[in-house]
Amino acid sequence: MLGVLGGMGPMATVDFMRKLVEATPASRDQDHPGALVLQASDIPDRTRAILAGGPDPLPAMVAGLRRLEAAGATRIAIPCNTAHHWHGALQARTALPILHIVDAVAEALFVRGYRSGSIGVLATGGTLKAGIYSGRLARHGFTCVAPIDQDAVMRAIRLVKAGRVAEAGAILRNQARGLIAAGCGRVILACTEIPLALSASDEGFGDGLLDATQALAQACVSGAGAPERLVA
Amino acid sequence: MLGVLGGMGPMATVDFMRKLVEATPASRDQDHPGALVLQASDIPDRTRAILAGGPDPLPAMVAGLRRLEAAGATRIAIPCNTAHHWHGALQARTALPILHIVDAVAEALFVRGYRSGSIGVLATGGTLKAGIYSGRLARHGFTCVAPIDQDAVMRAIRLVKAGRVAEAGAILRNQARGLIAAGCGRVILACTEIPLALSASDEGFGDGLLDATQALAQACVSGAGAPERLVA
């Protein structure tokens, strides 16, 4: 059974759950795979830990992992991009396989025939600073590009967490357009708050946007997420 | 920590989780209470068990309860109206308090100043046959009224489970109008699939519709759900 270490933030986890259900071909309740979702509320801010030496979120994430193990989870997904800075540390503390959201994104890029070039990354400052996308995608021939105004992206993410989605959407659309104008063939919505304000199917972007939350949901459903060629 | 025995159906549980987050006043992740959500996929059809002697869902529900207990839940909510037919049997098997969705609905009716009269119940045939609403609401002076065409309601609920939401919405709007025309002061959306197709804020109904999913979410947030005066 899939265990979801969520709550980072809570509405982003709900968005992930919805995409998980939508990615499952089913016409009745019993066609769906089971899942166990922790809306953890006590995990310190991931970006603050990476950028400003804030409280370490790892102990609370490990505690959440233990709850999911106790309830019978057999594999883990984490619908928070920045939390993947601790992916290795978490994986070292559990026998359960933990999917990696960047592998799911790489798989989605491959499936859509996009195999090299510049990729824009709309993400938290923590995700960018920690190189969560740039390191893992560079191995596959992609070059990651940061937004022109990262402070604006961070402001938008905080607006989403406070429920001010329309304001956030305008900021994010503007930054996405800037990345495309700078030559990025694809822009990853690489913070799980972002698709709450800017959908990958938003008008005017064609197939330019790729939703990391959706990619992770798809990887969970297809049982993939860490194909050999991607983590080699 | 709130434990949610969900998956009946999976998208209804997602809807409940969204309403739970929305009902919580918060501006950052850490303001939210934690929750643990089981998307159980192996619980047999509740309505079929009540109406047609189908497989008993109780053992799978108890197994789900045990997972939530193991993970550290301290109280339980079940975002499925029909499943409340087994509320007493489940409560007898756990020390954790299980909120009752009809108590949450009664509380919502009281809060809105609606204290007696006829109440329409849009629900599964199982919920109606088992008297889940009629018995519990009668004690508070309400008379429950079934839809004119219950087969149509059941067809709409199955359409929602299959993702055919627009077709379902048209059927449900029609049945809701019929109940109001028959003198019901309020119509309860008393199956968690229904608000996916017909929102309580749907135009043309004023404050005539009450969403049981939302009432349960509100009860979870306010820590209420089984106030003394409602279960006496």
Side-chain angles (χ1 to χ4, degrees):
Chain A
M1 177 178 287
L2 177 69
V4 178
L5 184 57
M8 303 174 276
M11 197 56 102
T13 294
V14 171
D15 185 52
F16 172 72
M17 288 173 69
R18 184 172 65 77
K19 285 167 180 163
L20 195 62
V21 173
E22 284 174 348
T24 308
S27 65
R28 37 173 222 140
D29 300 355
Q30 293 76 16
D31 295 336
H32 289 265
L36 194 77
V37 184
L38 179 65
Q39 281 280 37
S41 58
D42 55 350
I43 300 179
D45 191 287
R46 284 69 60 199
T47 290
R48 198 160 296 140
I50 294 171
L51 294 186
D56 183 2
L58 185 61
M61 284 197 277
V62 172
L65 202 54
R66 295 287 172 261
R67 284 184 188 271
L68 294 170
E69 286 173 340
T74 54
R75 58 200 180 106
I76 302 291
I78 308 174
C80 170
N81 290 268
T82 315
H84 283 72
H85 180 52
W86 291 270
H87 181 274
L90 284 166
Q91 188 60 83
R93 285 166 175 77
T94 182
L96 304 183
I98 306 177
L99 284 80
H100 198 299
I101 198 164
V102 180
D103 294 338
V105 165
E107 176 74 14
L109 287 168
F110 270 64
V111 164
R112 292 161 198 215
Y114 198 75
R115 310 220 160 190
S116 66
S118 291
I119 300 273
V121 182
L122 283 179
T124 64
T127 293
L128 296 183
K129 171 82 183 303
I132 295 171
Y133 273 80
S134 55
R136 215 152 174 121
L137 286 186
R139 292 186 233 155
H140 307 290
F142 296 111
T143 307
C144 286
V145 180
I148 293 152
D149 185 352
Q150 177 59 26
D151 287 347
V153 173
M154 212 52 227
R155 198 162 64 242
I157 290 168
R158 293 215 180 86
L159 285 169
V160 175
K161 284 187 192 287
R164 294 162 63 183
V165 165
E167 290 163 79
I171 295 170
L172 293 166
R173 257 186 298 279
N174 198 27
Q175 292 301 316
R177 275 191 218 106
L179 284 163
I180 289 166
C184 293
R186 293 289 184 282
V187 174
I188 314 291
L189 310 181
C191 166
T192 51
E193 305 294 328
I194 291 178
L196 302 175
L198 172 61
S199 160
S201 59
D202 213 69
E203 271 182 44
F205 287 99
D207 60 354
L209 305 181
L210 195 147
D211 178 350
T213 306
Q214 195 153 37
L216 183 63
Q218 188 57 55
C220 290
V221 168
S222 58
E228 290 313 313
R229 74 178 184 284
L230 294 176
V231 294
Chain B
M1 178 178 286
L2 178 69
V4 178
L5 184 57
M8 305 175 274
M11 198 55 102
T13 295
V14 172
D15 184 53
F16 171 71
M17 292 307 300
R18 184 172 64 77
K19 285 167 181 164
L20 193 62
V21 173
E22 285 175 347
T24 307
S27 65
R28 39 174 221 140
D29 300 356
Q30 293 76 15
D31 296 337
H32 288 265
L36 193 77
V37 187
L38 179 66
Q39 282 280 37
S41 58
D42 55 350
I43 300 179
D45 191 286
R46 284 68 61 199
T47 289
R48 199 160 297 140
I50 294 171
L51 294 185
D56 182 4
L58 185 61
M61 284 197 277
V62 171
L65 202 54
R66 295 286 172 263
R67 284 184 189 270
L68 295 171
E69 286 172 340
T74 54
R75 58 200 179 107
I76 302 291
I78 308 174
C80 171
N81 290 267
T82 316
H84 283 73
H85 181 53
W86 292 271
H87 181 275
L90 284 166
Q91 188 60 84
R93 284 164 176 80
T94 182
L96 305 182
I98 306 176
L99 282 80
H100 197 299
I101 198 166
V102 180
D103 294 338
V105 165
E107 177 73 16
L109 288 167
F110 270 65
V111 164
R112 291 161 197 214
Y114 198 74
R115 310 221 160 187
S116 66
S118 291
I119 301 273
V121 181
L122 284 178
T124 65
T127 294
L128 295 183
K129 172 85 183 303
I132 294 169
Y133 274 81
S134 55
R136 216 152 172 120
L137 286 186
R139 292 186 232 155
H140 306 291
F142 297 111
T143 307
C144 287
V145 180
I148 292 152
D149 186 351
Q150 177 58 25
D151 287 347
V153 173
M154 212 52 227
R155 198 163 62 243
I157 290 168
R158 293 216 181 84
L159 285 169
V160 175
K161 284 188 192 286
R164 294 163 62 183
V165 165
E167 290 163 78
I171 296 170
L172 292 166
R173 259 186 298 278
N174 199 27
Q175 292 301 315
R177 276 191 218 104
L179 284 164
I180 289 167
C184 294
R186 292 289 184 283
V187 174
I188 315 291
L189 311 180
C191 166
T192 52
E193 304 294 328
I194 291 177
L196 302 174
L198 172 60
S199 160
S201 59
D202 213 69
E203 271 182 43
F205 287 100
D207 59 355
L209 306 181
L210 195 148
D211 178 349
T213 306
Q214 195 154 38
L216 183 63
Q218 188 58 55
C220 290
V221 168
S222 58
E228 290 311 313
R229 73 178 185 283
L230 294 177
V231 294

